[in-house]
């Protein structure tokens, strides 16, 4: 595996990262991207373009805009804290743009895990995500409230922040 210090080959493939494919299921259209150089994997990101998740439907209704649900991001240990995550987000954003998807927001439900020695919520915040229940205008009569582990970010903010972070790697 290339070391995180030797990013030249990985960085060159990030905008055209490997789009592992899309599949349809009863609960949406899933897309997976992975970044690698030959057989050396940086990680993978899985997102749902047609989620039937009630939180995604609520967000789309509230904002009048299309949303994508981030389902999973996995950065191999050697790339954690060294730019692997922003590279994977770059891959997701490039995939959305290449597919001509008109997505305005990204919703995720974080799984805070301190086992890798970091603060996942703070990492997501550094990429532009905010706690959904703190920033969304929820009508009083709405029965469904976002849970404390839901976070949202605009695609525009993600594009700007991720581009800056990838440029520094």
């Amino acid at each position: 595996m290339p070391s995180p210090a030797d990013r030249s080959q990985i960085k060159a493939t990030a905008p055209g990262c490997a789009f592992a494919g899309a599949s349809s299921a009863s609960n949406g259209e899933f897309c997976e991207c992975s970044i690698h150089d030959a057989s050396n994997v940086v990680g993978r990101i899985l997102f749902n373009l047609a989620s039937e998740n009630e939180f995604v439907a609520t967000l789309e209704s509230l904002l009048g805009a299309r949303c994508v649900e981030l389902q999973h991001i996995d950065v191999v240990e050697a790339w954690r804290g060294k730019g692997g995550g922003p590279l994977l987000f770059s891959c997701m954003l490039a995939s959305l743009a290449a597919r001509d998807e008109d997505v305005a927001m990204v919703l995720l439900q974080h799984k805070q895990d301190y086992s890798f020695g970091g603060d996942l919520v703070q990492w997501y915040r550094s990429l532009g995500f905010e706690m959904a229940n703190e920033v969304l205008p929820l009508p009083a009569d709405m029965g469904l409230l976002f849970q404390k582990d839901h976070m949202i970010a605009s695609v525009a903010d993600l594009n700007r922040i991720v581009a800056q972070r990838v440029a520094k790697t």
Side-chain angles (χ1 to χ4, degrees):
M1 169 171 286
S3 72
D6 180 19
R7 301 172 193 277
S8 56
Q9 293 175 323
I10 298 293
K11 192 173 176 182
T13 64
C17 62
F19 178 66
S23 62
S24 293
S26 62
N27 60 344
E29 180 183 356
F30 295 89
C31 296
E32 181 178 353
C33 296
S34 61
I35 296 179
H36 56 83
D37 178 33
S39 62
N40 303 307
V41 176
V42 172
R44 69 184 184 102
I45 190 166
L46 178 69
F47 52 100
N48 190 338
L49 291 166
S51 177
E52 293 183 9
N53 179 320
E54 60 190 332
F55 295 106
V56 173
T58 300
L59 183 60
E60 289 179 336
S61 175
L62 280 171
L63 303 176
R66 187 152 178 234
C67 303
V68 66
E69 180 184 17
L70 175 64
Q71 298 248 314
H72 184 77
I73 183 168
D74 184 29
V75 181
V76 296
E77 191 170 338
W79 282 89
R80 291 182 185 162
K82 298 175 178 79
L87 285 170
L88 288 168
F89 270 103
S90 176
C91 182
M92 180 187 83
L93 294 167
S95 175
L96 290 172
R99 294 167 54 94
D100 222 9
E101 298 293 343
D102 187 25
V103 176
M105 300 293 288
V106 177
L107 173 74
L108 65 84
Q109 191 168 6
H110 73 79
K111 305 293 184 212
Q112 181 64 61
D113 179 4
Y114 292 99
S115 64
F116 71 93
D119 184 339
L120 190 58
V121 171
Q122 187 57 38
W123 182 74
Y124 283 126
R125 283 187 187 276
S126 76
L127 292 172
F129 283 89
E130 299 175 274
M131 302 307 288
N133 62 357
E134 295 174 3
V135 297
L136 290 176
L138 295 172
D141 63 342
M142 183 175 288
L144 176 68
L145 297 177
F146 286 89
Q147 298 175 11
K148 64 181 180 178
D149 55 358
H150 284 111
M151 299 183 82
I152 60 170
S154 75
V155 169
D157 286 346
L158 270 174
N159 269 315
R160 180 180 48 78
I161 294 168
V162 166
Q164 291 169 353
R165 299 271 297 270
V166 168
K168 292 179 182 178
T169 61

